[in-house]
Amino acid sequence: MKRIALTIATVLCVSTWIFAQDKSKPTPTDKPLQPTVIEAERSRSETNDGESYLIFSGSVKLTGTNLVITCNQLEVFARTKENEEDEEAAIGAFSSIQRILATGNVRIVQEERTATAGRLEVLPNEEVIILTEDPMLFQDGNTAGGKG
């Protein structure tokens, strides 16, 4: 199981593309970087001591450069900018995304690749994506998957 999750994580290594925090890095295609947009029926956020927690639920759709993720619920754990004097920076601005957790009917589409799972965890600082709960990867007519 760990080998399948690691294989899928390696194949889909898109965490640096999802949030493209360093715009000087090349994109996986020639497409320009796009802002990441999250759509959902409901959302909630909490901020405390420079840490933010956002939760989106109900028909969640995350769209970014060369990537679409759909799921039932998406949680984002981030650090907020510390410069409180700048009003734009103080309201909803992140210095870095620490972790993303998508659960329930997770589907990732990236050009010719599609992956499905019950749970997706993205660790952008480690450039790792972990798919669990019956992950499946579809690419070029081939399928890889695992249980658990």
Side-chain angles (χ1 to χ4, degrees):
M1 173 51 209
K2 288 183 180 180
R3 173 174 259 162
I4 294 295
L6 180 59
T7 301
I8 293 173
T10 302
V11 172
L12 286 178
C13 191
V14 296
S15 60
T16 56
W17 305 329
I18 291 176
F19 296 100
Q21 294 180 19
D22 182 357
K23 296 189 189 254
S24 65
K25 291 183 182 178
T27 58
T29 66
D30 293 333
K31 295 179 182 179
L33 292 177
Q34 300 173 347
T36 300
V37 177
I38 300 173
E39 302 170 57
E41 294 172 9
R42 293 171 298 285
S43 65
R44 178 173 59 97
S45 67
E46 297 175 15
T47 302
N48 188 12
D49 294 328
E51 301 286 326
S52 288
Y53 171 71
L54 298 96
I55 186 166
F56 302 90
S57 58
S59 303
V60 180
K61 181 178 180 182
L62 180 148
T63 306
T65 303
N66 190 35
L67 177 74
V68 175
I69 298 174
T70 57
C71 60
N72 296 345
Q73 181 170 296
L74 182 79
E75 298 173 64
V76 179
F77 302 83
R79 289 206 171 100
T80 54
K81 291 187 178 181
E82 294 181 18
N83 184 359
E84 298 293 332
E85 294 174 14
D86 181 358
E87 187 173 324
E88 286 184 27
I91 300 174
F94 301 128
S95 63
S96 64
I97 304 292
Q98 301 302 304
R99 180 175 165 235
I100 299 166
L101 180 63
T103 54
N105 300 307
V106 178
R107 181 178 178 84
I108 306 164
V109 178
Q110 181 192 40
E111 291 187 347
E112 73 282 350
R113 288 181 280 229
T114 300
T116 61
R119 184 177 190 270
L120 160 77
E121 184 171 5
V122 180
L123 304 170
N125 297 328
E126 299 172 31
E127 297 185 10
V128 171
I129 291 180
I130 302 166
L131 293 170
T132 56
E133 298 179 15
D134 302 324
M136 296 293 293
L137 173 66
F138 309 90
Q139 181 177 355
D140 298 329
N142 298 311
T143 302
K147 294 283 182 193

